[in-house]
Structures are given as structure tokens and as C-alpha cells.
Amino acid sequence: MSKLKILVVEDDIVNLEIIVQFLGEQYEVKVAFDGENGIKIYKEFKPDIIITDLDMPVLNGIDMLKYIRVFDKNVKAIVLTSHAGVDYLLKATELNLTKYLLKPISKIDLFDSISLALNEIQRFKVIDRNILNINEKYAWDFQNNILLCAGVEVRLTPKEKKILEYLFKNRPNIVSYEALIEFVWNDYDFVDKKALKTMMSGLRKKIPQDLIGNIYGVGYKVCT
């Protein structure tokens, strides 16, 4: 069985060295010094568990985990902080944390948290059927019919949302120009293909390149 993979994100070098010393012999460990670097290494390393400080420069631990949670509901998260304040607890509860540890942490508490995370890995797997990951940055939320970029809703007009809603619901099939116009405008007789193509041109500037394919003379399809 391969070693459990753990990403440690901590800007305090002393704490980081202590944690790595605790974990290094039993687990495969990678480190990052801030949330931005943590996201980069997360994408490359694909850890089973993330141990992260909350207060960090560049990007804090909460915002880092919010970004990761858009695409990954399964990675386990253990957070470290010097604060026991209610605000921190409230912000962190939505991130599906395995454990919340106050500094200074002990070896016993750290390993107890990892054991808890390992138990969750073995027993549960979260599958969010309402989210379609388009790429590492973009996702479509079927429940709310919104496009997300790094966890933040992309500003779209109501008709642009309806275009994407219909295309995603019908993927990977081709949607005819006529069917799309009928769905978006509810009246094919008074809207022509030119209006649709104009709106599509504006929409393409807000979405990933090549997300929507144009099948000449027929219609559009989602290419993901």
C-alpha cells in the first residue's frame, strides 16, 4: 500500500519543521509556505490530507481551502491556528474540516487528527453531482445554474445563463440554433440566429476558450 500523501501549508518555518519531523518517516509529505503556493502544489501532488495554517501571507488558509473545495470534496483538511475566536470557527465550518487544532500543537493531537482523517477516507467519499468541473479553474453548478471561476460566480446576463444552462443540460449532444433560441427567448418567430450569434460572441469572452463548439449550420455543443 502506498504512503498517505500529506500537504503541509505553513508560513512559520519552526512549526513547519516540527510537523514535517513528526510526519516524515510515516507519510509522503510536501510543504508550501502560503495559500497560493499551497494550491499550486495541491494540483501537482494530489494529497490525501491537507494540514494548513489559517493566518498566512499572499493567500490565507480559509481562502485556499475554499478554492480547493470547489473541485475536491474528498481531500481531508486539518487546520492550525493561534486563534480560538468564534469568527474563525464560523468561517471554517463550511469547509468540511476533519479537525481544528490550536497552536502550539502536540504530536499526539496531530497523529490523532490524521487517524481521524484516515478513518474518514476509508469510510466516506463525497460526490457532488451538482458540480461539473470544466477545468482546474472553472465549474458549472447545476443546482443554481451558475458558472464558477475559482469558486466565485462569473457575472453573466440572465440570457447568457440560460444559454449555458441549456447547453450543459444537453451535453454532449448538439443543441440546434432553433431549440436554443426557443429556450432562451421563448419565441423563435421574433428572434433570429444573428441575435443568438451576437450574444454567443459576448458570452465566449467570459468562459473558458473552446468550451462551446459551433457545429456549422446546425447549432452548438459543450466541448467538455
Side-chain angles (χ1 to χ4, degrees):
M1 183 177 176
S2 60
K3 284 186 175 182
L4 200 70
K5 296 164 70 174
I6 300 178
L7 170 60
V8 183
V9 189
E10 168 66 272
D11 65 316
D12 187 313
I13 301 299
V14 174
N15 284 333
L16 184 63
E17 289 178 349
I18 291 171
I19 294 170
V20 171
Q21 186 177 15
F22 285 164
L23 304 179
E25 291 186 8
Q26 275 187 258
Y27 306 108
E28 185 179 354
V29 180
K30 297 281 187 182
V31 301
F33 302 103
D34 59 64
E36 188 174 280
N37 192 234
I39 289 172
K40 181 176 181 288
I41 295 175
Y42 158 80
K43 292 176 180 178
E44 299 168 352
F45 185 48
K46 299 297 182 186
D48 302 294
I49 300 172
I50 297 173
I51 299 173
T52 181
D53 189 13
L54 289 186
D55 296 315
M56 295 183 293
V58 186
L59 187 70
N60 64 49
I62 287 177
D63 289 338
M64 178 192 74
L65 287 174
K66 280 182 178 178
Y67 177 92
I68 291 172
R69 280 288 179 241
V70 173
F71 307 99
D72 190 342
K73 302 294 190 295
N74 294 301
V75 64
K76 302 306 167 188
I78 299 168
V79 300
L80 318 172
T81 182
S82 302
H83 302 275
V86 174
D87 288 344
Y88 271 86
L89 288 168
L90 289 176
K91 288 178 182 177
T93 50
E94 65 190 55
L95 299 175
N96 190 25
L97 303 179
T98 295
K99 196 72 173 178
Y100 189 97
L101 297 178
L102 288 175
K103 295 179 180 180
I105 61 169
S106 70
K107 186 174 183 178
I108 292 174
D109 287 342
L110 182 61
F111 275 94
D112 282 349
S113 298
I114 292 173
S115 294
L116 182 59
L118 182 57
N119 183 55
E120 290 180 356
I121 290 169
Q122 292 171 339
R123 293 177 57 199
F124 305 107
K125 184 176 182 180
V126 179
I127 301 175
D128 191 340
R129 299 183 184 277
N130 290 318
I131 300 293
L132 172 68
N133 293 329
I134 298 167
N135 56 31
E136 291 184 343
K137 192 174 182 182
Y138 285 88
W140 176 255
D141 182 335
F142 284 100
Q143 184 173 356
N144 299 298
N145 289 321
I146 58 175
L147 183 68
L148 300 169
C149 178
V152 178
E153 181 180 354
V154 177
R155 286 189 178 184
L156 300 172
T157 68
K159 284 186 170 56
E160 287 173 339
K161 284 186 180 181
K162 294 198 76 170
I163 288 174
L164 289 180
E165 175 189 353
Y166 199 64
L167 289 174
F168 277 114
K169 280 183 177 178
N170 287 280
R171 69 180 178 87
N173 300 320
I174 300 169
V175 174
S176 70
Y177 301 125
E178 293 81 6
L180 195 53
I181 290 171
E182 180 67 32
F183 180 80
V184 175
W185 281 274
N186 297 315
D187 195 342
Y188 180 72
D189 292 335
F190 293 96
V191 179
D192 59 19
K193 294 177 187 176
K194 185 177 179 181
L196 174 61
K197 290 180 179 180
T198 298
M199 181 162 290
M200 191 66 74
S201 177
L203 176 59
R204 287 183 191 277
K205 298 174 183 177
K206 305 176 183 180
I207 62 177
Q209 187 177 8
D210 300 325
L211 173 61
I212 298 175
N214 183 10
I215 313 305
Y216 183 75
V218 181
Y220 298 98
K221 65 174 292 187
V222 170
C223 300
T224 185

